[in-house]
Amino acid sequence: MTKPPSGILIIGNGGAAAHAVLGARGAGYRGEIHLICGESGPAFNPMLAPYYLAGQISFEQCFPFGTAFYKANQVTFHPGSKAESLDAVNRTCITTGGEKIVYDRCLAASGADPVLPPIPGLGASPRVFALRTVSQTKALSAALKRGHKKIIILGGSLVGTKLASVLAEKGHTVTLVDVADHVLPTSAHPLCAALIERGLEKSGIRLALKRSVRFTEDSTRGIILHFEDGGRMAADLCVACTGVRANMDYLEGTNVVRTRGIHVDSRMSTSELVLFAAGDVAQGYNCLSGQKEVIGLWGNACNQGRVAGINMAGGKSAFPGCIPQFVTAFSGLNFVSLGDVQRQGSAIRPQIWSNFSGTVQRLLLFDRETLVGANLINCHDEAGYIKAVMTQKLEWKRPPKGFGLSPFWFRENTLPRVRQTPS
């Protein structure tokens, strides 16, 4: 079945897709908007799933736009209908049901799917759960309600660490397993990770770091992880928080430029004239590095989606990009990560401040005199200024000195200044 040109086609149903609708309608677009998605419900925010499992919010609050959003914005919703293939030249999309949709402009906002490491037995086990989609969240919630108390979290990512904290607070026995030598290996500097690890252990979470899983097997009571060092660990269930991969299989065989994600410019345009991309499937600008990266943030996805929607509607809008930034709380610690805290090199210099009790910590990472990364523990009120300095690429006249916790920028000799460009 072939439909006539349908105006705007949106592939996906997350924050980027919803904000693309708002951007297009806000720019005065009155044509048809079709949205196709493999899930059947409204837009879901996976970052809220741990808060739901903690009992801090209701399940309905994980859907920030609600069910009325589509009717209110005159969106034709095709639930349970994934994109199988896309012909960006002839402007057609084939769905899982065999439907052929012809469009004028298209937005790829298909997000990312969880990636399980290639560990024998892991992917086939009914005791292994992910936490990305509505169905995955429901399945994990149901399993926890069945009385499973001993939980292994595989992956010390932000999601994994947050989930470990949530489950420990609810009385579960939690072990956090990662092949890395510290938790939050991409967002925490090793000097700050040590304080976080002490907080996690204090809250009852067992850490199994630098442990590589060889294979898993199911038992009558749960799942058993076998490690490369010969050790083993049993639990009722395992939650894998080991990363995601951009969902762009439907672009196989096309000339759309992509690596870890679909390459976009500041307008969210791709290498194909009428194809745009936004969200976790889009590889946009990192303001700090100047490189194109996939930055998996809800806010970033929403900003990209809105810009794409405006431009698909014929308007003019641009999004300069963002920097990696994460804010969360676990085990009594408020944690902020900004920029690139894993940068290496001879010119890289960390500066760290802590209070006497070790409950507050601020780490700044400099590349020569330019601030490129920051970790803040229990001093998150400083994040706004630090982010502004970082994104504007200001530099310090001299390295910050002292170990006091008063904001260093109040001192005249550590005020940032604009980098001078050689004439």
Side-chain angles (χ1 to χ4, degrees):
M1 176 181 178
T2 301
K3 290 192 172 184
S6 58
I8 291 175
L9 171 65
I10 298 176
I11 302 173
N13 189 27
H19 276 266
V21 171
L22 294 173
R25 292 304 188 203
Y29 182 73
R30 296 294 176 263
E32 289 188 45
I33 298 179
H34 288 253
L35 188 149
I36 61 176
C37 173
E39 295 280 334
S40 59
F44 176 71
N45 183 351
M47 296 297 102
L48 297 178
Y51 298 93
Y52 160 66
L53 295 174
Q56 297 173 3
I57 63 173
S58 67
F59 192 56
E60 289 71 24
Q61 289 176 289
C62 294
F63 303 88
F65 301 96
T67 56
F69 172 83
Y70 306 92
K71 183 177 181 180
N73 289 281
Q74 297 179 304
V75 175
T76 302
F77 187 22
H78 303 256
S81 184
K82 289 180 65 176
E84 281 292 317
S85 63
L86 187 79
D87 184 340
V89 176
N90 294 308
R91 306 183 188 184
T92 58
C93 176
I94 306 297
T95 72
T96 49
E99 184 179 26
K100 182 178 180 181
I101 300 177
V102 182
Y103 59 83
D104 296 321
R105 291 166 295 281
C106 178
L107 173 67
S110 42
D113 292 330
V115 175
L116 293 181
I119 298 171
L122 189 70
S125 173
R127 302 279 188 168
V128 176
F129 297 81
L131 192 63
R132 185 74 183 178
T133 66
V134 174
S135 57
Q136 291 166 350
T137 302
K138 284 182 175 179
L140 178 56
S141 177
L144 293 172
K145 289 176 181 177
R146 287 195 292 270
H148 296 308
K149 287 295 184 181
K150 195 172 182 180
I151 316 296
I152 292 174
I153 306 294
L154 190 60
S157 62
L158 279 160
V159 173
T161 305
K162 177 66 178 180
L163 184 60
S165 176
V166 162
L167 295 179
E169 289 175 3
K170 291 181 71 65
H172 296 276
T173 301
V174 181
T175 302
L176 190 61
V177 177
D178 202 302
V179 69
D181 58 4
H182 65 84
V183 298
L184 308 175
T186 61
S187 56
H189 190 278
L191 294 174
C192 282
L195 175 57
I196 295 170
E197 288 166 9
R198 289 196 296 271
L200 294 172
E201 290 176 328
K202 189 176 180 180
S203 66
I205 298 169
R206 177 188 173 192
L207 300 180
L209 302 174
K210 295 189 287 187
R211 302 290 301 276
S212 179
V213 181
R214 184 181 177 189
F215 68 95
T216 71
E217 64 173 332
D218 293 332
S219 69
T220 56
R221 301 183 61 181
I223 185 171
I224 302 173
L225 274 61
H226 294 262
F227 295 96
E228 294 287 356
D229 59 14
R232 49 184 280 172
M233 185 182 301
D236 296 325
L237 56 87
C238 173
V239 186
C241 301
T242 49
V244 297
R245 180 183 66 88
N247 183 8
M248 49 186 181
D249 291 345
Y250 54 91
L251 294 177
E252 289 297 324
T254 72
N255 293 321
V256 178
V257 177
R258 59 199 186 278
T259 47
R260 294 181 66 86
I262 303 170
H263 289 211
V264 295
D265 60 17
S266 62
R267 299 182 66 253
M268 300 300 110
S269 298
T270 71
S271 57
E272 296 294 336
L273 182 62
V274 296
L275 178 64
F276 297 75
D280 291 353
V281 76
Q283 194 165 334
Y285 289 111
N286 180 327
C287 296
L288 193 61
S289 67
Q291 303 299 312
K292 288 188 176 182
E293 299 177 18
V294 175
I295 300 178
L297 299 170
W298 179 262
N300 183 54
C302 294
N303 285 326
Q304 289 181 337
R306 185 176 290 271
V307 167
I310 292 171
N311 291 322
M312 287 192 296
K316 292 183 179 180
S317 184
F319 179 55
C322 71
I323 65 173
Q325 49 188 320
F326 306 98
V327 182
T328 189
F330 35 69
S331 301
L333 300 174
N334 293 308
F335 173 70
V336 178
S337 179
L338 298 168
D340 181 6
V341 295
Q342 303 300 331
R343 189 175 297 194
Q344 303 290 323
S346 59
I348 302 302
R349 171 175 50 84
Q351 292 282 332
I352 190 165
W353 292 261
S354 298
N355 65 353
F356 290 112
S357 63
T359 57
V360 178
Q361 195 170 87
R362 178 200 308 122
L363 180 138
L364 304 180
L365 198 69
F366 292 89
D367 188 341
R368 294 180 172 85
E369 297 305 314
T370 302
L371 181 64
V372 296
N375 278 167
L376 307 174
I377 298 177
N378 291 339
C379 53
H380 55 281
D381 55 318
E382 301 173 357
Y385 184 90
I386 291 174
K387 179 183 175 183
V389 170
M390 197 179 298
T391 54
Q392 293 175 59
K393 298 185 178 180
L394 304 181
E395 64 179 358
W396 267 259
K397 296 178 182 179
R398 64 182 69 175
K401 296 180 180 179
F403 292 89
L405 287 172
S406 58
F408 56 85
W409 50 84
F410 287 168
R411 305 170 193 160
E412 184 177 356
N413 66 340
T414 59
L415 290 175
R417 60 184 171 86
V418 177
R419 178 186 295 278
Q420 300 297 314
T421 304
S423 58

